[in-house]
Every structure is written in structure tokens, then in C-alpha cells.
Amino acid sequence: MLRRGFILFLPRLVGLLVVACSSMSIVYMLACTPKGDNQQLALPRVHSPTVKEGYEAVLQEREEQHRNYIISLKKQIAQLKAELQGRTEQLKNMQNQYPDSLDIRLDHSKPENAQANLLAFLRSQVDKAEVHSGVKLSTEYAAVPFESFTLQKVYQLETGLTRHPEEKPVRKDKRDELIEVIELAVGSLNKPDGLQSKKCLNFCFHTGIYRTEKNKGTLYELTFRGDAKHQFKKIVLFRPFGPVMKVKNENINMADTLINVIVPLAKRASKFRQFMQNFREMGIQQDGRIHLTVVYFGKEQMNEVKSILENTSKSANFKNFTFIQLNEDFSRGKGLDVGARFWKGNNVVLFFCDVDIYFTAEFLNSCRLNTQPGTASHEVH
């Protein structure tokens, strides 16, 4: 009986649930529908009588926005112009207060003026670098060393002045740079300056040195050998981080430049015999413009050393030597000092040398080419 009543009540229950769901849906739609906003601008319909006024209002609003943006840009431009004018006046005041040595003013209004100003600037870089005169340094480690080179090798001093130059093959980039410099020097040799003779002499590249000052440029000194004996030509070029410029073109005659080789010695007669063989071949026979000063300490093996000197003098007809004997312990520094002070002749190149050094005639020419009167040269160990 109860079961039958439940079956009869089930359709009514389903109907009540359907009605309740429908009512809840209607209430939800009414609650979630957005309300109208009086301030919201509705797009005018095409056939609406207010379509023209709506578009005019929108255009007027956009025009006002663009007008305000243009006014803002004009204010910014005016501020930038005022700032630029102030910077220009400041730059002019600095130029008037700190004029450079050549009074260089960059003027790009005309190409010829710009070229002349550039040339003046490059020459000012040459004057600032150590080309014509040196500068005082607080220590020898502040000096920028020269590196020598030939067509095949570069002798570098990258490790500083405390080590010997290291021989390295020329890198491609460095080779291209040095070849360019040599070609410019050869072109300068074939174009004499002023009223010099137009006869083209044959010069062969001998050796060169260069160094780079990071804030100025690269200095090159190239030496060429001429046809005549003892005839050389030195050309100095400078690259101020720009075009290479010729600085100097001078003739060098080393026919009368004498080298005084000073050798401090104690015992070591066998080493001295080998040294004299090299000295006779390179210094006497090939070079001929050389003097030998031997400062001997003590008496042991002294007669043997003097005999070697006398035999070389007789066989090679060589009279340009001095033998100084000191009765004290060996001191290399004192030997060099005594040998240098003993010289009483004209201006001479002093070559401080050890007895186990082997040198060539080309090295002796390099000593002459890379020294100046009253200055110290490199010492070879």
C-alpha cells in the first residue's frame, strides 16, 4: 500500500523539481543581467536620428587629445633646444679656456678645411709622442721598449726589460703591418725631397725597430743599406692610430763610427782564444772599425791571454787594442767602468761584452744605428 502511494506521488515530485529549477534559472538571469549605464556611450545606429551628432562628438574628443599631445611635444623640443644651446656655450667656453698647442678647430663646412684640420691633429699627435724628444720617467719599468724586426723575424720584449728579447716568427697581421710600413719607406726613398738629386739610389732593407704607445700611436725606425760601403739610410715613420706619416728622412754615414768593445776577464784563456777567433773574423776582417779593451784581473793565465792578443795583432795587422791589468779580485762592474774611463779618444760607441759572446758584423752595425751620443745602449750578455 505504501509502495503504491509512493509510485503515485513520484510524478508530482518530478514536476515540482522542474518548476523549482525553472524558477531558479529565471531568478539567476534577472540577477546577473547588467544594468544600463547612463554615462556609457552607445554606438549610434545607422538609421538613428542622432548618428551625426555621435560621430562629431567622438571626432572632437580625438582632436582634443591630439592637440594636447602636440603641445606636449613642442614643450619637450623647446627644452631640448635650450639644453643643446647650453652645452654648446659650455663647449665654446672650454675651448677658449683650454686651447690646444696647435689651436685646432674642427670645421666640416668645407672638405679642404676638414682635411687640413685632420692633418694638423695628426701632427699634434706626433709632437705629443716621443718622436723628436723623450720624456722623464720615474722608473725604467715605465719605459715602452722597442722591438726589432727583420723580414722574417720579430724580436719581442713582451716579458719586460728583465729578460732577453724572444725571437718569434712574424704573425700574419703583424707581417702585413710591417710590410706596409716598409713599402711606404721605400716609396719615400724613391721620392727625394726639395732640391735633392733625383737619381734613384738602391737601398736594401736592413733592420727596423718599433714600439706602440697606447695613447699616441706606433713609432717605426727603418734602416736601409745603400750601394756604397758604410752607407745607410734611416727613415722614421709614425702611425698616430691613423694614416702613416713621414717624420724624418736623413742620411747616415758610419764610416768613422768606432766601437770600443770592453771585455772584463779573469783566467778563462781558452774562452778568450775562441772569442778572439770570432773577433778577428767579424770585427777586424769584416767590420774594421773596432777597438778592443781587455781589463784583466789577477796574474794567473795573464801571459797566455797577452800572447793571444799579440799573435792576433801580428797576423791580422791589428793595433787597435788596449790591455789593462788589475791586481785584485774579479769584478765585472769595475772592469767595465775602468775600461770605459780609460778611453781618451774621440766620441766612440762603448760595447760592454762578455768573453763568451758571439757577435756578427751586422750586429755591430746595429749598435751604431741604434745609439746616440751621450746615451746608454743595450748591454749584451
Side-chain angles (χ1 to χ4, degrees), residues 43-56:
L43 292 176
R45 291 174 292 181
V46 177
H47 300 290
S48 174
T50 60
V51 61
K52 182 176 181 180
E53 290 80 359
Y55 279 120
E56 288 179 352

Side-chain angles (χ1 to χ4, degrees), residues 168-188:
K168 292 184 177 180
V170 184
R171 301 192 313 266
K172 184 180 185 304
D173 57 337
K174 179 60 66 174
R175 181 173 65 251
D176 294 341
E177 172 192 346
L178 297 179
I179 288 177
E180 177 192 4
V181 173
I182 294 174
E183 290 177 349
L184 289 172
V186 171
S188 176

